[in-house]
Structures are given as structure tokens and as C-alpha cells.
């Protein structure tokens, strides 16, 4: 069963989302709470001063002053709000968005299991990390020479992890708009301790690189390996204070890959 989580958008994020909705002349779905019937409208514009979504419609389906729910999609992400239906002086329908705007994250749709289907890697700058505001010297934690021989034995893939100077590159296991998970060996685990924050982390797709300003280690746990003689760990990473633009960029990328994967499955079913 899929679960949907809703996160509040702060005033700046709310204004940014609604402004983009207005400038792109997107569509909104409007309905009364508890009612199955939903109505789709095109957006004419967004009035920032009045916090109003002006709809390209003059059909008075709802009563002026009535509380209605609305949702819209932007860059592969869905947003929801409780609004007040009004009619402007010029006769156009208007949604007053005075309440909180929420973004939804459906785990089954927005968490992308990257390995082994997608080639997604994360690159850490070992010279840019801190704990509680104190800079940590990552370079001194272990020798760079032959550091990943143990890890390569675990994953059986020579392209899985590499180093280049102060850079550490590891394959991503799963990815969402809030964070990601990676697998590391015993030697590599020394680079990851709980609450450590890496700066300027690159997520590398085959056709795009997205840089996340701050990535925090939230857990490091034992992971069952096929070889009981080799220690393996799962590292959970959280995107801290993610800027709206990068949040949108990651969400859009995940959804595009998921849609492509669904199309692949449809074709496979077709040719069976």
C-alpha cells in the first residue's frame, strides 16, 4: 500500500510555486471536500498581491465564499491547498490561496530504486564536510591508495566506486527528493559518521549532474552481504535545506525516469 506524505511550503516557496503556475498557465483541479466530482480549469494568471489564482473560466459552479480544495502539478510534483472560491469584478473565477500550500511525496512513486536499473552515482568532496559546524579533515581518515578494493569485492563491479584526488564516487542505491541511500564497505564506512554533513555533493545521472549544497548522514547500519566474511553498511543521507529550484530538479528527474521505466514495462507486457 502506498503512503502519501505532505510537507508544508514556506511563504517563499508558496509564492514561487504559485507564480510558476500562473506564468506557465497550468491547470488546477478544484472540488468540494467529500465530493467525488472534480473540475479542471486552466490558470489565467496568479495575482501575488492578492494571493489569488485567476482561472480562465466564468462558469459559476461553486458559490462565492465557498471553501474548496485545489491541486496542481508542477515539474512532476503535486501541490494541494484549501482555498476560497470567488468571482472577480471582470467575471472570472478566482481561488484565494490564503492557507498553507502543501507538496505531496508518494513513497511508491517518488522514491526511485536506482540500482541496478539506473546508472546514478554520488560524488562527495572529502575536503568539504563538518559536524555541528566544525570542519572535519576527511582526507586523514584512511589512505586513498587501494581504498576501495574491499568495496569492489563486495559489489563485484569495478565501476561502482572510484576516487580522484579528494573526490569519492559511489553508486546510489535509491533516491528521493529528500535523500538517498548508498552501500559501503568497512573501510569506506570510516568516511560516514552520523550527523556528518557533506557540502556541494554531486548526483551524477547519465545525462545530467545535480549538485546538492548540503547532505547529512542520518544513519549507518549493518547490511547483510552475500559473503559473510565481508562487512557491508547501508548509509542513509538527507538533503538539508534543499533550495526550491534543486528540489524541483530532482523531483522532475525522478519522475521522468519512473515514467520511462513504466513505458518499458508496458512494452515488455505487449510483446509477451
Amino acid at each position: 500500500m502506498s503512503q502519501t506524505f505532505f510537507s508544508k511550503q514556506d511563504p517563499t516557496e508558496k509564492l514561487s510555486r504559485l507564480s510558476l503556475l500562473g506564468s506557465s498557465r497550468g491547470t488546477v483541479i478544484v472540488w468540494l471536500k467529500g465530493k467525488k466530482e472534480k473540475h479542471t480549469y486552466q490558470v489565467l494568471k496568479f495575482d501575488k498581491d492578492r494571493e489569488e489564482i485567476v482561472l480562465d473560466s466564468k462558469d459559476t459552479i461553486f458559490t462565492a465564499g465557498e471553501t474548496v480544495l485545489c491541486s496542481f502539478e508542477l515539474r512532476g510534483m503535486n501541490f494541494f491547498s484549501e482555498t476560497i472560491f470567488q468571482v472577480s469584478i471582470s467575471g472570472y473565477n478566482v481561488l484565494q490561496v490564503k492557507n498553507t500550500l502543501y507538496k505531496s511525496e508518494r513513497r511508491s512513486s517518488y522514491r526511485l530504486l536506482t540500482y541496478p536499473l539506473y546508472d546514478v552515482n554520488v560524488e562527495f568532496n572529502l575536503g568539504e564536510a563538518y559536524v555541528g559546524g566544525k570542519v572535519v579533515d576527511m582526507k586523514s581518515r584512511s589512505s586513498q591508495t587501494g581504498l576501495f578494493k574491499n568495496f569492489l569485492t563486495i559489489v563485484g563491479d569495478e565501476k561502482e566506486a572510484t576516487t580522484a584526488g579528494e573526490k569519492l564516487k559511489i553508486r546510489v542505491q535509491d533516491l528521493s527528493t529528500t535523500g538517498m541511500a548508498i552501500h559501503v564497505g568497512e573501510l569506506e564506512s570510516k568516511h560516514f559518521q552520523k550527523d556528518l554533513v557533506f557540502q556541494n555533493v554531486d548526483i551524477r545521472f547519465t545525462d545530467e549532474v545535480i549538485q546538492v549544497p548540503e547532505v547529512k548522514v542520518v544513519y549507518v547500519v549493518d547490511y547483510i552481504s552475500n559473503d559473510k566474511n565481508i562487512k557491508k553498511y547501508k548509509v542513509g543521507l538527507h538533503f538539508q535545506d534543499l533550495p526550491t529550484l534543486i528540489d524541483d530538479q530532482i523531483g522532475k528527474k525522478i519522475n521522468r525516469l519512473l515514467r520511462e521505466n513504466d513505458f518499458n514495462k508496458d512494452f515488455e507486457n505487449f510483446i509477451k
Side-chain angles (χ1 to χ4, degrees):
M1 181 181 295
S2 65
Q3 291 180 297
T4 302
F5 299 84
F6 295 92
S7 59
K8 291 182 179 181
Q9 302 292 279
D10 64 35
T12 301
E13 291 172 329
K14 174 183 173 181
L15 183 62
S16 174
R17 310 294 193 187
L18 293 174
S19 296
L20 180 58
L21 176 67
S23 62
S24 64
R25 300 198 65 178
T27 59
V28 294
I29 298 174
V30 184
W31 72 100
L32 288 171
K33 185 177 181 180
K35 301 294 182 180
K36 292 184 178 180
E37 188 177 12
K38 294 179 172 61
H39 306 273
T40 302
Y41 299 99
Q42 184 176 359
V43 175
L44 190 62
K45 66 177 182 178
F46 173 64
D47 189 321
K48 295 181 182 179
D49 296 328
R50 300 174 63 89
E51 292 188 278
E52 292 180 344
I53 300 172
V54 182
L55 306 176
D56 192 10
S57 171
K58 295 184 179 182
D59 297 332
T60 53
I61 296 176
F62 303 103
T63 304
E66 195 167 26
T67 299
V68 296
L69 304 180
C70 80
S71 69
F72 57 90
E73 182 179 340
L74 284 176
R75 295 173 175 171
M77 292 176 289
N78 293 300
F79 298 89
F80 300 81
S81 187
E82 189 176 51
T83 66
I84 302 298
F85 181 83
Q86 297 286 5
V87 178
S88 67
I89 297 176
S90 56
Y92 286 101
N93 294 334
V94 169
L95 299 177
Q96 289 185 339
V97 194
K98 299 292 185 180
N99 292 321
T100 303
L101 182 68
Y102 295 89
K103 182 183 73 172
S104 71
E105 180 180 347
R106 182 174 294 167
R107 296 287 182 178
S108 62
S109 298
Y110 284 86
R111 179 164 291 275
L112 178 68
L113 298 177
T114 55
Y115 182 81
L117 187 59
Y118 303 101
D119 185 15
V120 183
N121 296 278
V122 57
E123 190 172 83
F124 301 92
N125 187 334
L126 300 185
E128 295 185 357
Y130 64 88
V131 178
K134 182 179 179 181
V135 176
V136 177
D137 183 7
M138 300 294 292
K139 292 175 289 183
S140 65
R141 294 197 165 201
S142 56
S143 171
Q144 296 297 320
T145 305
L147 176 64
F148 297 101
K149 288 183 179 179
N150 179 52
F151 185 76
L152 298 181
T153 302
I154 293 173
V155 299
D157 184 352
E158 293 183 357
K159 296 181 180 179
E160 191 71 22
T162 57
T163 56
E166 297 178 2
K167 299 286 186 178
L168 167 59
K169 185 178 179 182
I170 299 177
R171 189 157 187 173
V172 175
Q173 298 295 314
D174 67 71
L175 174 70
S176 75
T177 55
T178 58
M180 59 186 164
I182 58 175
H183 291 167
V184 299
E186 190 168 9
L187 289 175
E188 298 76 50
S189 67
K190 297 176 182 178
H191 285 283
F192 301 94
Q193 68 181 58
K194 190 176 182 302
D195 296 329
L196 183 70
V197 178
F198 290 93
Q199 294 182 304
N200 301 317
V201 174
D202 289 338
I203 303 175
R204 295 186 172 273
F205 300 88
T206 55
D207 59 348
E208 185 178 4
V209 177
I210 300 176
Q211 187 172 90
V212 180
E214 293 189 345
V215 175
K216 183 178 182 179
V217 179
V218 291
Y219 65 81
V220 182
V221 296
D222 290 345
Y223 190 82
I224 299 175
S225 172
N226 292 331
D227 188 339
K228 294 182 179 180
N229 296 319
I230 298 176
K231 290 282 289 183
K232 190 174 182 181
Y233 301 88
K234 182 175 183 179
V235 180
L237 302 157
H238 174 67
F239 302 148
Q240 288 209 138
D241 302 321
L242 195 62
T244 300
L245 183 61
I246 299 176
D247 188 2
D248 289 346
Q249 194 176 4
I250 294 174
K252 184 178 180 180
K253 186 67 177 181
I254 290 174
N255 276 273
R256 185 172 69 80
L257 291 174
L258 285 169
R259 285 195 295 269
E260 288 177 356
N261 188 33
D262 288 340
F263 293 152
N264 291 340
K265 288 182 179 178
D266 289 341
F267 182 70
E268 289 176 5
N269 292 331
F270 175 75
I271 61 177
K272 281 184 179 179

